[in-house]
Amino acid sequence: MTIHRPQRVVCVGVLVLGAISSVADQPPNREFQAGVALVTVDVVVTDRHGHTVPGLDRSQFRLTEDGRPREIRQFQAVQVPPPTGSLPTAPASRPRVSSNAREGQPARTFAIVFDDLHLSPAQAEPARKVVAAFLKEAFSSNDRVALITTGGDVWWTTVVGRGRDDLFALTSRLQGHRPPDTTVGHITDWEALRIHDRDRSVLALVTRRLTDVGADEVYAASVNRRRITLRLLSRVTDALAGAEGRKSVILVSEGFVSEPQRSEYRDVIASAWRANVAIYFLNARGGAELATAGATDSPRLLSEGKDTVGERSVYIDAVRSEAEGAVSVALDTGGFAVGATADLGRAIRQIADESRVYYLLAYDPLAPLDGKYHKIGVEVLRDGLAVYARKGYFADTPRGKGRDPEPTSDKLAPAIRAALDAPADDGGLPLRLAAYVRNNDGDKTDVMLVGEVEVDVLPDARPGAPDVDIEYYMASVSRESGERAGISDNVHPSSSEGHAPLLTRTFRLSGGTWQARLVVRDAKSGRMGSVTHDFEVPLQEGFRMTTPILTDTVAPGPRPVPVAHLAFAAGAPVVAQFEVSGQRSGPDGISRVLSGFTLTGPGGRTLAHMDPTPIRPGADGRLARMLKLPVPPEPGQYDLTLTAHDDIA
């Protein structure tokens, strides 16, 4: 058996390094950039048929705060091209190193929240079809998408163009966890709420059909489910606060009753207003109708008010009371609700269109950071059009900025938690992340995560001086099982010339696809960065090779040091090291593994080649090889192909 391990992104040369540094350090190119004191509002405008309206200008909008006119200081009309046919095929292999350097213009961001706590197993199947329909029809290749379950089994983020297959694979893990109650004595959540609120008419109706009401138990269970779902929605909207472009949350749920006096309702709406996020509610109640509703369906419309124009409003079914809480959350955040008997295809297109054609308005607030709620009013000065935007905001300090002394339930600072949850990487502190799959021991494999921090951008960093105090968190999650691994720490790295400080941790992981995230914060300035890296942990079967270490740093021993970069300075010595395992032994108990390599440069010309030669076991019996690669004569991109062959197999 022969293994070929091409290292296709090995770049050598100061020219490549310069290009990478300039991308990491430059601010993003934004057409619209609101100042710190400005309030930003996303505005969707539709015609009588519910279609989004492009082509409006600043003069056609009127904006008020608390009823007082405000000047529109900044304005941008956004129109994202619709998807063109099928999405591109996902890359054949994942990148060896991931960076949080910004690429191009900000994309749209979607968070699909699958509310498995409010879905029964039977309802989960059509609800999964809703998610699959969104993945297939609504997204463009550069959209950022997070797929999340309220029960905590799934939290995965990706860019659609490179992670579409991961999202489709995750839909198989979307299950319903609410046990169905088909007993004669079944009480709905709404009935339990009304009885809890001393509604005698509902109590009388329920009592006539039951001898033992049991409303207290049903109400307590309902409160617990709602609390978890609403708190997770707040966590999701908090995580979206730092993302640029249009931000939307799609809640796929059976819905929940409305009890607005509870703090969780106010918190999720305030968080959505703060983050400028619209929440859309897709009602899964009604079984398979949700996935099969067609254009002939005639959903009943519930208007937001007499000024509502067209068909956008709210599509809602006959069991409104059981889902009224989810409907109100959607309306109050600038989204809408879709009932189980609505035209699903039309609803998906409408949500996608509202994220493709919209307007960004920014203005000076009346009283910056006074801690109070302020109502926002937006009008369009053209007949026959409807306007949808968030209804207000709280003038307080945005979450996730600087140090927040209040820890979350998992003991992480809110800023760290939001950065770990966010679909988009934070480029405030340049980072890179790589994964090195080592040999296995038992049913799990040692995987070393290596992060690099460009601390030179920090104000207190001096070459060679440990003046930087950073805290970091590394977390990994399995796509197949939801298994998690994470660790946090504080370090005092030195900034040495030519090398970024390394953050290295080893985790024991099962086979499959994993997603790792590194979050770093400078303790003094509060400056943060985050980076996401997807990688494969192969099943430990047969003849195999560890992830090759390619490095310009060698510790005494000699011991090659794993790094998180594939660009090296011209003239710097570069070392490669790998290990093989799973080889067969001959009748004499001795294995025979041969290894060689080929290094090619620009134009495909061969710079160095070594025919396969036997790998001699080390003192510990391991089969490892270290190669000192020849220094290329000029800057450019170089490809290294390693081969290993089990001669006995």
Side-chain angles (χ1 to χ4, degrees):
M1 177 183 292
T2 302
I3 298 175
H4 297 271
R5 290 298 295 265
Q7 307 300 302
R8 298 298 183 189
V9 288
V10 178
C11 302
V12 182
V14 291
L15 294 181
V16 174
L17 274 176
I20 292 177
S21 298
S22 65
V23 172
D25 295 341
Q26 288 176 355
N29 179 20
R30 302 184 182 92
E31 296 179 25
F32 181 93
Q33 187 171 9
V36 175
L38 297 182
V39 176
T40 305
V41 187
D42 286 19
V43 179
V44 173
V45 181
T46 63
D47 61 18
R48 296 182 183 276
H49 303 289
H51 301 144
T52 51
V53 178
L56 301 177
D57 59 36
R58 185 193 309 240
S59 65
Q60 294 173 290
F61 288 89
R62 178 182 297 160
L63 194 150
T64 63
E65 181 177 302
D66 297 335
R68 297 170 59 181
R70 307 304 297 161
E71 178 187 358
I72 300 174
R73 292 281 303 278
Q74 295 188 16
F75 176 88
Q76 183 182 355
V78 179
Q79 188 167 1
V80 179
T84 55
S86 59
L87 292 174
T89 303
S93 61
R94 302 181 188 273
R96 277 283 309 271
V97 176
S98 295
S99 166
N100 64 351
R102 297 180 184 271
E103 299 178 0
Q105 292 294 322
R108 303 180 300 172
T109 303
F110 297 86
I112 301 176
V113 177
F114 190 87
D115 189 10
D116 51 359
L117 296 182
H118 283 95
L119 290 169
S120 68
Q123 292 166 331
E125 177 60 29
R128 276 198 300 270
K129 294 180 180 179
V130 173
V131 175
F134 260 98
L135 297 178
K136 182 178 180 180
E137 301 177 22
F139 301 136
S140 300
S141 60
N142 64 336
D143 289 336
R144 293 183 293 249
V145 176
L147 182 57
I148 302 161
T149 58
T150 52
D153 293 335
V154 174
W155 194 303
W156 192 273
T157 67
T158 191
V159 175
V160 173
R162 65 171 179 258
R164 174 197 55 184
D165 292 344
D166 291 329
L167 294 171
F168 275 115
L170 282 163
T171 60
S172 65
R173 290 185 45 217
L174 302 180
Q175 308 291 328
H177 296 314
R178 181 176 183 178
D181 189 346
T182 58
T183 63
V184 176
H186 173 61
I187 302 175
T188 68
D189 286 357
W190 181 79
E191 289 172 335
L193 172 62
R194 300 311 305 157
I195 293 172
H196 175 79
D197 289 343
R198 304 295 190 268
D199 187 323
R200 295 186 177 182
S201 61
V202 174
L203 177 61
L205 288 172
V206 173
T207 303
R208 277 201 295 269
R209 75 171 190 261
L210 304 172
T211 57
D212 182 12
V213 174
D216 290 342
E217 292 82 358
V218 175
Y219 174 73
S222 171
V223 168
N224 187 56
R225 285 194 303 272
R226 281 181 281 143
R227 180 181 293 117
I228 295 173
T229 295
L230 289 167
R231 286 180 176 175
L232 182 127
L233 284 174
S234 293
R235 177 177 163 184
V236 170
T237 51
D238 282 348
L240 294 176
E244 299 173 1
R246 177 75 172 177
K247 297 169 284 190
S248 306
V249 173
I250 296 101
L251 174 63
V252 181
S253 173
E254 185 183 281
F256 41 84
V257 296
S258 179
E259 201 172 6
Q261 67 272 23
R262 289 195 165 272
S263 61
E264 292 87 4
Y265 287 84
R266 299 191 300 272
D267 289 345
V268 69
I269 293 170
S271 176
W273 287 343
R274 184 184 297 112
N276 207 16
V277 172
I279 298 176
Y280 298 87
F281 165 48
L282 272 65
N283 192 342
R285 190 183 297 270
E289 290 181 353
L290 181 62
T292 60
T296 59
D297 291 318
S298 179
R300 292 192 291 169
L301 303 180
L302 175 67
S303 172
E304 288 188 58
K306 62 182 180 180
D307 295 329
T308 299
V309 178
E311 299 179 344
R312 181 182 188 277
S313 302
V314 183
Y315 311 103
I316 195 158
D317 55 19
V319 287
R320 172 187 173 187
S321 57
E322 286 290 307
E324 193 168 8
V327 172
S328 65
V329 167
L331 292 180
D332 286 341
T333 58
F336 59 77
V338 182
T341 59
D343 180 348
L344 177 64
R346 187 181 70 178
I348 291 175
R349 289 190 297 272
Q350 192 159 338
I351 294 174
D353 287 345
E354 292 191 2
S355 297
R356 272 196 282 270
V357 180
Y358 62 97
Y359 301 88
L360 288 172
L361 283 61
Y363 69 94
D364 289 312
L366 287 172
L369 303 183
D370 63 359
K372 299 179 181 179
Y373 170 76
H374 296 275
K375 184 177 180 180
I376 296 175
V378 183
E379 297 179 69
V380 62
L381 305 180
R382 207 170 101 182
D383 293 338
L385 301 182
V387 177
Y388 301 95
R390 57 173 170 157
K391 297 181 178 181
Y393 73 101
F394 288 96
D396 56 1
T397 303
R399 292 186 187 178
K401 301 294 184 182
R403 181 176 294 278
D404 190 330
E406 298 182 7
T408 56
S409 58
D410 52 12
K411 308 304 181 183
L412 290 175
I416 298 292
R417 168 50 60 198
L420 284 169
D421 292 342
D425 291 336
D426 185 345
L429 190 59
L431 303 174
R432 292 181 294 273
L433 185 61
Y436 290 86
V437 178
R438 316 310 296 159
N439 279 325
N440 70 315
D441 180 12
D443 59 349
K444 293 197 174 183
T445 301
D446 286 339
V447 178
M448 178 186 294
L449 294 180
V450 179
E452 290 187 2
V453 189
E454 296 291 349
V455 296
D456 290 344
V457 302
L458 297 175
D460 293 331
R462 299 197 310 271
D467 293 333
V468 178
D469 180 9
I470 64 173
E471 54 183 316
Y472 74 93
Y473 193 95
M474 279 185 181
S476 297
V477 61
S478 166
R479 189 190 73 183
E480 286 77 14
S481 67
E483 176 187 351
R484 287 173 169 81
I487 192 167
S488 60
D489 202 357
N490 285 75
V491 294
H492 302 269
S494 298
S495 176
S496 58
E497 185 176 356
H499 295 86
L502 299 177
L503 304 175
T504 303
R505 291 288 182 174
T506 298
F507 299 92
R508 294 183 56 76
L509 307 178
S510 55
T513 301
W514 285 77
Q515 183 171 93
R517 173 157 284 199
L518 169 65
V519 175
V520 178
R521 178 164 64 173
D522 174 41
K524 294 182 180 179
S525 67
R527 187 168 178 172
M528 291 184 60
S530 64
V531 60
T532 305
H533 182 65
D534 297 342
F535 60 96
E536 302 288 340
V537 179
L539 296 177
Q540 299 300 311
E541 300 173 348
F543 185 51
R544 54 197 179 272
M545 181 189 294
T546 61
T547 304
I549 296 173
L550 198 64
T551 181
D552 52 359
T553 304
V554 180
R559 181 178 59 84
V561 177
V563 295
H565 60 266
L566 291 172
F568 307 101
V574 177
V575 172
Q577 185 187 54
F578 62 91
E579 183 179 342
V580 296
S581 60
Q583 65 277 0
R584 295 185 181 182
S585 299
D588 56 359
I590 299 176
S591 60
R592 179 176 170 81
V593 175
L594 308 177
S595 172
F597 78 90
T598 301
L599 179 66
T600 59
R605 70 182 187 276
T606 299
L607 299 179
H609 173 79
M610 185 182 80
D611 289 329
T613 59
I615 301 178
R616 305 299 179 191
D620 55 3
R622 295 162 53 193
L623 294 180
R625 169 156 285 177
M626 184 169 68
L627 303 168
K628 185 176 181 180
L629 302 178
V631 177
E634 60 185 18
Q637 179 167 313
Y638 295 81
D639 296 337
L640 173 67
T641 300
L642 303 171
T643 62
H645 174 71
D646 185 353
D647 206 30
I648 295 178

